[in-house]
């Protein structure tokens, strides 16, 4: 979030907002307003209820919408995020083009995504049970999509090592999820989330996948 660091008066877009954690964090931490969009109605409804519970209903709004056809006018947002959603998106160019359209000149977009590195990853993964349901590209292809849309690529950060290190620390801590945490994870992430997560970390640690943060901006 420090890479975005919005101002209190900014309006931020969260593409693929899930149950709304990053959107609420941005609003609470920086005082900005946030609009989240997600295709899944249940996630949108849960996001709204959690946001009201947190007392952030005046700052954060959620919309059931297709990211390839965003329901906002041109030049609406001061910044945007898209966190680990791209692996589910077949037409990444359309989503990136929509982000370009709704962002104001000089606005920044922070996009994180798992990308192909060397070889086929282990399935099932958190976002797909098989390669047929996964829309992975390599890092160079991803960067090229932003450049083709007109964005300036300001930075590309490889976060693979950080993800693997954090997973090892958790594994070595001896801490296990409580029954309530286990149930919450299964509801949000699916019953196979432990296996999926292990496959993801194994794919990262063996160099089959990489985790990238791409920071781009819309030229003035």
């Amino acid at each position: 979030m420090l890479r975005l660091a919005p101002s209190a008066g900014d309006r931020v877009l969260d593409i693929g907002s899930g149950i709304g954690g990053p959107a609420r964090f941005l609003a609470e931490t920086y005082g900005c307003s946030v609009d989240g969009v997600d295709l899944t109605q249940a996630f949108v409804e849960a996001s709204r209820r959690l946001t009201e519970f947190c007392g952030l209903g005046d700052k954060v709004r959620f919309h059931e919408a297709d990211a390839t056809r965003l329901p906002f006018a041109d030049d609406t947002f001061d910044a945007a995020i898209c966190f680990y959603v791209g692996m589910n998106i077949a037409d990444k160019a359309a989503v990136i083009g929509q982000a370009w359209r709704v962002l104001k000149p000089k606005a920044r977009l922070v996009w994180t995504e798992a990308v192909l590195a060397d070889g086929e990853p282990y399935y099932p993964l958190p976002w797909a049970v098989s390669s047929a349901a996964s829309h992975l590209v390599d890092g160079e292809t991803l960067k090229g999509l932003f450049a083709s849309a007109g964005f300036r690529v300001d930075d590309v950060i490889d976060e693979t090592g950080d993800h693997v290190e954090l997973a090892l620390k958790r594994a070595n801590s001896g801490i296990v999820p409580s029954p309530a945490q286990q149930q919450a994870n299964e509801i949000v992430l699916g019953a196979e989330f432990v296996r999926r997560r292990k496959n993801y970390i194994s794919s990262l640690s063996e160099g089959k996948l990489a985790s990238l943060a791409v920071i781009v901006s819309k030229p003035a």
Side-chain angles (χ1 to χ4, degrees):
M1 296 300 187
L2 290 174
R3 296 167 187 145
L4 198 70
S7 300
D10 285 349
R11 188 176 178 187
V12 180
L13 173 65
D14 183 357
I15 302 169
S17 49
I19 60 171
R24 287 188 292 274
F25 178 86
L26 282 169
E28 176 69 20
T29 303
Y30 298 100
C32 56
S33 64
V34 186
D35 287 86
V37 296
D38 202 283
L39 266 178
T40 305
Q41 182 182 11
F43 283 175
V44 174
E45 291 175 356
S47 296
R48 290 170 177 166
R49 295 177 72 175
L50 288 168
T51 301
E52 290 296 331
F53 180 78
C54 293
L56 291 169
D58 60 330
K59 288 283 189 182
V60 188
R61 298 162 296 278
F62 295 97
H63 314 264
E64 184 183 350
D66 185 343
T68 66
R69 298 188 297 273
L70 290 172
F72 306 108
D74 297 357
D75 303 333
T76 295
F77 294 96
D78 301 284
I81 60 173
C82 183
F83 288 168
Y84 294 100
V85 177
M87 302 88 69
N88 296 113
I89 299 172
D91 193 353
K92 300 180 200 294
V95 176
I96 292 169
Q98 283 289 291
W100 164 273
R101 180 183 66 79
V102 302
L103 284 171
K104 297 176 182 178
K106 299 183 180 181
R108 175 170 283 193
L109 165 64
V110 178
W111 182 293
T112 59
E113 184 169 338
V115 298
L116 292 170
D118 185 15
E120 186 74 3
Y122 300 113
Y123 287 94
L125 285 162
W127 60 88
V129 296
S130 69
S131 59
S134 185
H135 302 288
L136 292 165
V137 298
D138 61 69
E140 288 303 313
T141 298
L142 183 61
K143 288 193 298 181
L145 290 172
F146 290 106
S148 295
F151 283 106
R152 182 180 64 235
V153 179
D154 298 317
D155 202 1
V156 179
I157 302 166
D158 190 332
E159 299 182 326
T160 306
D162 293 336
H163 284 226
V164 174
E165 182 181 358
L166 179 60
L168 289 174
K169 285 181 178 178
R170 285 177 174 172
N172 294 329
S173 69
I175 299 172
V176 296
S178 68
Q181 290 171 327
Q182 182 86 8
Q183 183 181 37
N185 281 328
E186 289 179 356
I187 291 171
V188 177
L189 302 173
E192 283 192 320
F193 79 94
V194 172
R195 181 185 173 199
R196 291 174 181 238
R197 177 70 179 172
K198 286 181 178 178
N199 283 346
Y200 176 57
I201 296 302
S202 294
S203 297
L204 289 176
S205 61
E206 294 180 26
K208 297 176 183 295
L209 292 178
S211 177
L212 300 184
V214 184
I215 296 91
V216 301
S217 54
K218 183 175 179 178

